[in-house]
């Protein structure tokens, strides 16, 4: 009887979670073709192919006969070799197998596989929430909040650096908690694999071993009977991580320690010098104030999540100050500290190192799952207080009103996510669109250029269509032309501005209205009252 009851209890969980994550994957397959291509995708594709060529030289020389591999530059002299290639190398290999002569198809495959990692990340967040809060329903709330995050959802289709890293990082958080709960050799190796893959996507993945060492040490203090098992697991995990980081990053093969240190140094003082638009001013990315990342995070995160995060983080801080030993002795308390270190630690580190950041807060997207887990803690604490209050008390009425406001906020976020599709990547939470346009960058990836090119081709019947190929627009226009049908893209001619009939303004380094010399505006893409792309005709 007990077994039957247990199975009856688990059946809804299996059904609901299968529908949620299976439906999310199918939704991604359906929506993949809605999005354009960002600035860096061809460069990152090239990096994956250069590493594939390097691997082929050593393991499969016959592949070098392919012309597009034979003419690639050498890995050791490649300028972007210090970027991890664990994901882009895999994509290059899959492209060789399934899309060797179909470049648009290869890019659509890449976009869908980026989204597939997002589904994996949402599942890992679900598992973390389930373990921390003791209920799969709470875990599903966390996963749903991640999906209902407009910017994150949009970038989950094309941002194969920051979003893939975020997904691997949250998966690393999940494998870490499993290791802390029951330290076995298998769990140690699995955690090492995830940490290595995360590091080989972005060098910031080295934060995972730091968190692992710190929280294994804390677990050893809290559970002395498990000390030797934890110590053995940590040692195995460390050795396996070092080996696997090298295995999945071919650039490290010839000089692992020296080149890894070189890559970390390049991260600390990244060579980028571009200007960014922040709080109404164009500034060098090397001279941004310390509040750049926190302001961007709060301005683009749904207000309901931010309010709940403040409540959850305040609860952790209160317990840490008032009852530190009690907090540390409880598994739930140690998990809350892990989420806090994961969320706040990277921000402090970037400010302390004065690292170069740009394009909003995308370089720290990987802290967002921890942000949501702390927000869930705030929500759960609020629900418990509301339930404990007498039905007719002022606290109960106040809690009900707060709950209604939060629900309305989430509903508005869901509405915006659907209404703004496929331009959720310029979502601002509490700022009206026109105000946000005066303070922040908009479509810094240039994703909307695909829709702009499609509009021009649909509304100009000429055999050839001349579009301005200015320096700042060149890459994004050429990139998005690759995603158009062959018959359509064949009509495009990218020419100097003086010879062009059309100009596409994307507002990245020109955040103010365009002057009359660019032509007459004939089409806008608007999101929440602000233009993110304007087509000019001369």
């Amino acid at each position: 009887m007990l077994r039957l009851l247990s199975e009856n209890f688990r059946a809804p969980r299996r059904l609901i979670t299968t529908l949620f994550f299976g439906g999310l994957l199918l939704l991604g397959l359906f929506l993949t073709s809605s999005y354009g291509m960002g600035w860096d995708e061809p460069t990152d594709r090239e990096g994956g192919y250069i590493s594939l060529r390097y691997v082929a030289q050593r393991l499969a020389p016959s592949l070098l006969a392919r012309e597009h591999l034979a003419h690639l530059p050498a890995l050791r002299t490649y300028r972007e070799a210090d970027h991890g290639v664990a994901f882009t190398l895999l994509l290059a290999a899959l492209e060789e197998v399934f899309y060797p002569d179909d470049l648009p198809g290869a890019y659509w495959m890449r976009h869908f596989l980026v989204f597939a990692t997002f589904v994996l990340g949402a599942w890992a967040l679900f598992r973390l929430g389930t373990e921390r809060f003791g209920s799969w329903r709470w875990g599903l709330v966390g996963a749903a909040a991640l999906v209902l995050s407009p910017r994150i959802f949009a970038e989950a289709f094309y941002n194969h650096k920051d979003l893939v890293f975020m997904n691997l990082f949250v998966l690393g958080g999940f494998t870490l908690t499993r290791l802390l709960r029951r330290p076995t050799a298998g769990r140690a190796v699995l955690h090492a694999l995830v940490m290595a893959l995360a590091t080989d996507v972005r060098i910031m993945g080295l934060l995972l071993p730091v968190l692992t060492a710190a929280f294994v040490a804390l677990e050893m203090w809290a559970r002395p009977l498990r000390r030797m098992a934890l110590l053995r697991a940590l040692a195995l995990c460390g050795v396996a991580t070092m080996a696997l980081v090298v295995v999945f990053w071919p650039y490290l093969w010839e000089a692992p320690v020296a080149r890894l240190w070189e890559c970390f140094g390049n991260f600390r003082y990244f060579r980028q010098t571009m200007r960014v638009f922040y709080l109404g001013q164009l500034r060098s990315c090397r001279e941004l104030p310390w509040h750049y990342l926190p302001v961007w995070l709060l301005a683009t995160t749904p207000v309901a999540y931010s309010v709940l995060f403040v409540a959850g983080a305040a609860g952790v801080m209160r317990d840490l100050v008032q009852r530190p030993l009690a907090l540390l002795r409880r598994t739930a308390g140690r998990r809350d500290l892990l989420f806090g270190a994961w969320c706040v630690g990277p921000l402090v580190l970037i400010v302390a190192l004065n690292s170069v950041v740009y394009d909003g807060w995308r370089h720290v997207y990987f802290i967002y799952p921890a942000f949501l887990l702390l927000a869930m803690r705030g929500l759960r604490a609020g629900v418990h207080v509301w339930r404990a209050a007498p039905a007719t008390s002022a606290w109960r009425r106040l809690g009900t009103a707060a709950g209604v406001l939060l629900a309305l906020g989430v509903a508005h976020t869901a509405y915006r996510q659907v209404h703004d599709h496929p331009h959720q990547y310029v979502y601002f939470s509490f700022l009206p669109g026109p105000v946000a346009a005066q303070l922040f960058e908009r479509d810094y990836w240039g994703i909307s250029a695909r829709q702009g090119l499609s509009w021009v081709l649909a509304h100009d019947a000429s055999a050839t269509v001349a579009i301005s190929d200015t320096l700042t627009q060149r890459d994004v226009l050429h990139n998005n032309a690759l995603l158009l049908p062959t018959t359509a893209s064949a009509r495009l001619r990218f020419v100097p501005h003086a010879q062009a009939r059309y100009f596409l303004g994307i507002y990245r380094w020109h955040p103010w209205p365009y002057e009359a010399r660019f032509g007459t505006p004939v089409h806008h893409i608007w999101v929440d009252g602000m233009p993110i792309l304007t087509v000019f005709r001369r």
Side-chain angles (χ1 to χ4, degrees):
M1 176 63 71
L2 290 176
R3 181 180 179 185
L4 180 61
L5 289 173
S6 178
E7 289 176 354
N8 285 340
F9 176 76
R10 287 197 298 267
R13 168 180 175 169
R14 294 195 190 101
L15 176 62
I16 293 172
T17 55
T18 299
L19 288 175
F20 180 86
F21 292 106
L24 183 60
L25 191 64
L26 288 175
L27 180 66
L29 184 62
F30 176 72
L31 295 180
T32 294
S33 60
S34 301
Y35 296 90
M37 189 188 302
W39 293 88
D40 297 341
E41 288 192 55
T43 300
D44 291 322
R45 174 178 175 269
E46 180 186 55
Y49 262 102
I50 289 172
S51 290
L52 180 64
R53 177 180 180 271
Y54 179 85
V55 173
Q57 287 176 328
R58 283 149 181 78
L59 304 180
S62 60
L63 288 177
L64 297 176
R66 303 188 183 188
E67 183 177 351
H68 61 283
L69 286 178
H71 292 85
L72 289 171
L75 179 61
R76 69 174 65 89
T77 59
Y78 182 52
R79 186 172 184 266
E80 306 290 334
D82 56 352
H83 288 51
V85 294
F87 190 64
T88 55
L89 175 58
L90 171 64
L91 294 180
L94 291 174
E95 182 179 334
E96 281 297 292
V97 175
F98 297 105
Y99 296 92
D101 302 308
D102 181 6
L103 190 56
Y107 276 115
W108 293 132
M109 175 200 70
R110 288 166 174 266
H111 286 197
F112 176 69
L113 291 180
V114 172
F115 189 82
T117 72
F118 176 69
V119 177
L120 179 62
W123 174 83
L125 179 60
F126 158 74
R127 293 296 302 270
L128 277 169
T130 298
E131 183 211 17
R132 165 60 184 88
F133 303 109
S135 166
W136 65 269
R137 293 174 179 85
W138 280 105
L140 206 58
V141 168
L146 182 66
V147 174
L148 288 178
S149 299
R151 282 186 176 252
I152 297 294
F153 182 81
E155 295 201 30
F157 287 93
Y158 54 81
N159 187 341
H160 52 277
K161 292 185 288 192
D162 309 297
L163 256 294
V164 171
F165 180 65
M166 182 195 80
N167 300 326
L168 288 172
F169 206 97
V170 67
L171 184 62
F174 169 59
T175 56
L176 172 57
T177 59
R178 290 180 76 246
L179 181 64
L180 295 175
R181 189 168 62 250
R182 187 159 63 88
T184 65
R187 292 186 175 194
V189 172
L190 178 60
H191 183 52
L193 173 63
V194 176
M195 289 196 295
L197 290 173
T199 302
D200 290 351
V201 169
R202 285 193 55 202
I203 195 68
M204 282 285 278
L206 290 173
L207 287 175
L208 272 173
V210 174
L211 289 173
T212 299
F215 282 88
V216 165
L218 181 59
E219 202 74 11
M220 291 170 64
W221 171 83
R223 301 167 65 195
L225 295 179
R226 288 278 188 168
R227 282 178 184 169
M228 289 309 300
L230 285 164
L231 193 58
R232 287 193 296 269
L234 181 62
L236 176 59
C237 192
V239 172
T241 300
M242 289 187 289
L244 292 171
V245 165
V246 176
V247 168
F248 296 124
W249 196 344
Y251 180 63
L252 304 181
W253 288 4
E254 296 177 5
V257 176
R259 288 188 174 177
L260 187 62
W261 182 250
E262 169 200 330
C263 294
F264 181 71
N266 290 344
F267 155 74
R268 292 177 61 197
Y269 304 105
F270 192 56
R271 52 186 168 268
Q272 185 59 258
T273 59
M274 75 167 66
R275 293 189 302 165
V276 300
F277 186 61
Y278 178 61
L279 298 185
Q281 295 181 347
L282 279 172
R283 317 176 183 210
S284 167
C285 64
R286 294 181 173 275
E287 299 173 356
L288 292 171
W290 65 268
H291 49 72
Y292 178 78
L293 292 177
V295 167
W296 259 103
L297 190 158
L298 293 176
T300 58
T301 297
V303 174
Y305 303 169
S306 298
V307 171
L308 293 173
F309 166 78
V310 170
V316 175
M317 288 299 299
R318 181 200 60 210
D319 292 346
L320 185 61
V321 171
Q322 295 179 356
R323 300 183 297 274
L325 290 180
L327 176 73
L328 295 175
R329 288 195 177 104
R330 290 186 297 110
T331 299
R334 296 194 297 276
R335 295 296 181 268
D336 289 340
L337 282 181
L338 170 61
F339 302 152
W342 169 3
C343 183
V344 178
L347 295 176
V348 174
L349 179 64
I350 287 174
V351 171
L353 294 177
N354 196 27
S355 297
V356 174
V357 291
Y358 48 90
D359 292 349
W361 60 290
R362 69 177 182 86
H363 294 98
V364 294
Y365 278 168
F366 67 95
I367 72 172
Y368 191 58
F371 181 97
L372 292 179
L373 287 165
L374 290 172
M376 288 169 60
R377 187 190 191 280
L379 177 61
R380 188 166 177 264
V383 170
H384 284 175
V385 170
W386 179 82
R387 285 176 173 171
T392 58
S393 69
W395 284 110
R396 186 68 172 256
R397 292 193 296 272
L398 181 62
T400 300
V404 170
L405 288 175
L406 289 172
L408 289 174
V410 173
H412 181 259
T413 298
Y415 165 78
R416 285 283 308 278
Q417 184 154 323
V418 174
H419 180 267
D420 295 345
H421 178 79
H423 307 297
Q424 305 99 327
Y425 44 80
V426 289
Y427 168 83
F428 288 92
S429 54
F430 57 88
L431 292 174
V435 175
Q438 294 176 18
L439 298 175
F440 298 99
E441 290 179 328
R442 287 167 253 182
D443 181 10
Y444 49 71
W445 284 111
I447 302 299
S448 57
R450 176 169 170 257
Q451 282 79 13
L453 291 173
S454 296
W455 186 92
V456 170
L457 291 170
H459 291 80
D460 190 318
S462 305
T464 60
V465 180
I467 296 181
S468 175
D469 186 12
T470 64
L471 180 62
T472 56
Q473 319 291 90
R474 179 178 297 131
D475 289 344
V476 73
L477 293 176
H478 284 261
N479 292 353
N480 282 279
L482 295 173
L483 298 180
L484 300 175
T486 304
T487 53
S489 61
R491 296 171 53 210
L492 292 174
R493 295 293 182 271
F494 295 112
V495 298
H497 185 67
Q499 303 171 23
R501 179 163 174 74
Y502 294 95
F503 174 84
L504 273 61
I506 62 171
Y507 298 98
R508 179 169 190 179
W509 290 296
H510 195 293
W512 44 83
Y514 281 85
E515 299 84 355
R517 63 188 175 87
F518 290 98
T520 302
V522 293
H523 177 64
H524 297 279
I525 295 178
W526 297 89
V527 176
D528 194 32
M530 65 176 172
I532 64 171
L533 179 140
T534 300
V535 177
F536 296 90
R537 184 166 56 209
R538 302 174 66 195

